[in-house]
Amino acid sequence: MGTWWITGLALAALGAAPLAAQESVGIRADFSATDLQGEVIVLIRPTVWVGAQSTGGTPEPNAEWTDTARALLAAELQQREALLGRKLVAEPEVTGADGALLAGYRALFATVARAAMTYQFFRGNRLPTHRHAPFAWTLGPGTQRIAALTGARYALFVDLRDAYGSTGRKLFQIAAAGLVGLSITSGLHRGFAGLVDLRSGDLVWLRADQAMGGDVRTAEGMRRRVGQLLEQMPQSGAKSVPPIKEGSP
């Protein structure tokens, strides 16, 4: 095997070092399970991306897997309606200004959630001002327009991203470990979910995991994934979790 192959392994490892399993949950200090009782939660159309990871590590989308995962996710969340609140409704099928409104807030939620994960959740990335700060992130009071449109008090946002290692990627992983002792990951499985109070726009609960389990292409795997996503979400009759749970070192 030529030196080009060894060089390729080394270069790939630079961008594919194993990601430590990091997961964290944040909850707003003034939010508790009792706030959910009797309230309607609208499930904003989840952001789902499923594909394969090429030999070189590049994620490649798979439309069939993505459609399957999206349908399984919606079905599983409906099964857990009692956990989420008295009533869980789907985002309405709307176009025009209302459609643009919902699309805009899906994007805004993703931006705010990623900021919370990057600068408050995961060790090593935190801004000095957020290391010991309470969990206090917001989308702004404009979310009242979603409440008026849907009749819901809260909105549940979900974001899943999965890339399954191809055969070539798995062989590459084995070769890297055996030949030069490099650790290269095969597959990416990340997700986060958040609950927003539509009256204020406040993000009252957020759960994120950088290394999730469960094959989202199967009903059983999606059941496991949703269980992980909703872990430590305030439940009726249960006490709230601490505001911030540290990620792995």
Side-chain angles (χ1 to χ4, degrees):
M1 187 174 293
T3 56
W4 67 269
W5 178 251
I6 302 300
T7 301
L9 289 173
L11 290 175
L14 291 176
L19 179 67
Q22 295 189 95
E23 50 85 20
S24 195
V25 60
I27 184 169
R28 198 171 180 88
D30 58 357
F31 178 72
S32 69
T34 57
D35 294 318
L36 290 176
Q37 292 180 0
E39 298 291 353
V40 176
I41 301 174
V42 59
L43 172 62
I44 301 300
R45 183 166 62 84
T47 299
V48 180
W49 190 100
V50 188
Q53 190 180 37
S54 69
T55 301
T58 302
E60 301 172 343
N62 185 300
E64 181 180 354
W65 290 353
T66 298
D67 289 343
T68 296
R70 184 174 287 116
L72 290 172
L73 174 62
E76 183 61 29
L77 286 171
Q78 285 294 338
Q79 290 292 321
R80 295 171 182 261
E81 186 176 56
L83 171 65
L84 298 171
R86 180 165 296 179
K87 187 176 182 181
L88 178 67
V89 299
E91 174 187 313
E93 295 289 341
V94 292
T95 57
D98 289 339
L101 170 71
L102 294 172
Y105 273 101
R106 279 196 298 272
L108 179 59
F109 167 77
T111 298
V112 172
R114 288 192 176 100
M117 289 185 282
T118 300
Y119 299 119
Q120 187 166 16
F121 274 10
F122 300 138
R123 190 172 297 172
N125 292 329
R126 292 179 190 162
L127 292 175
T129 54
H130 283 76
R131 285 176 184 164
H132 305 290
F135 185 78
W137 299 80
T138 185
L139 276 61
T143 54
Q144 293 173 13
R145 295 163 62 195
I146 301 179
L149 177 64
T150 64
R153 167 69 188 275
Y154 294 94
L156 176 65
F157 294 81
V158 177
D159 191 300
L160 296 181
R161 183 176 179 84
D162 288 80
Y164 293 88
S166 63
T167 300
R169 181 67 175 178
K170 293 174 182 176
L171 291 174
F172 191 51
Q173 182 184 34
I174 294 171
L179 291 173
V180 290
L182 295 176
S183 178
I184 294 176
T185 59
S186 179
L188 298 169
H189 307 286
R190 303 172 182 174
F192 56 92
L195 198 62
V196 173
D197 184 338
L198 296 176
R199 292 184 184 177
S200 62
D202 293 339
L203 180 57
V204 295
W205 168 83
L206 178 66
R207 167 92 164 97
D209 197 327
Q210 299 285 68
M212 304 201 78
D215 188 335
V216 298
R217 300 167 296 182
T218 68
E220 181 178 354
M222 184 59 77
R223 189 172 303 114
R224 179 184 177 192
R225 175 64 61 86
V226 171
Q228 291 177 328
L229 277 175
L230 301 183
E231 191 175 294
Q232 293 182 293
M233 181 180 183
Q235 302 177 36
S236 181
K239 293 183 178 180
S240 301
V241 297
I244 294 293
K245 177 184 174 186
E246 298 281 0
S248 300

